[in-house]
Amino acid sequence: MVERTPPQRHIYPRTVRFADIDSQGHVNNVRFLDYLEDARFGMFHIDPYNAGDEPFKGLVVTRHEIDYRRPLGFRADPVRVESWVTGIGAVRFTLEYEIRDDTDLYVTAKSVLAAYDVERAAPRRLTESELAYLKRYSTQS
């Protein structure tokens, strides 16, 4: 039997902002998509840039799925958006997420992203460096 270590998760701390809270006193369901977007921007642009690598260019979301597990209210401490890759193709990849803290899971989600050539306005293949970066966070063998 071959044992595989779990993939590295990208961790993005996200502050709950007052503007995120709805009239029911918790983060509005639509605002959670902002949390996922912020985490993706950190994972694919900010972190590679800070490491001296080339950030991803031209990614588009082609699908989102989101499950709300429990209400998240206003709080001083940030929550974590944990992200990892569960599928990689030539053009597309799947990213899964949890929005959580040390004790509670608030949201699970999944996005399918595609590499996109902005100048041609068409899909493109993921580059070798992008594939290598994705594999660091991948559950695939």
Side-chain angles (χ1 to χ4, degrees), residues 26-93:
H26 55 71
V27 175
N28 183 276
N29 61 340
V30 173
R31 300 297 279 196
F32 280 114
L33 294 173
D34 293 336
Y35 288 39
L36 303 180
E37 179 182 40
D38 290 348
R40 284 192 311 276
F41 189 75
M43 184 175 190
F44 298 120
H45 297 280
I46 295 170
D47 290 359
Y49 178 82
N50 287 341
D53 296 326
E54 185 72 25
F56 281 58
K57 291 191 176 143
L59 289 179
V60 294
V61 174
T62 63
R63 180 177 175 80
H64 276 308
E65 293 177 31
I66 190 164
D67 292 304
Y68 305 97
R69 303 293 183 183
R70 73 182 289 125
L72 172 59
F74 188 72
R75 57 192 277 165
D77 294 329
V79 290
R80 294 188 312 271
V81 182
E82 299 185 9
S83 310
W84 63 98
V85 176
T86 57
I88 302 172
V91 174
R92 291 186 172 93
F93 63 94

Side-chain angles (χ1 to χ4, degrees), residues 110-123:
K110 182 187 301 187
S111 299
V112 177
L113 292 98
Y116 191 75
D117 183 325
V118 177
E119 291 177 10
R120 291 186 318 118

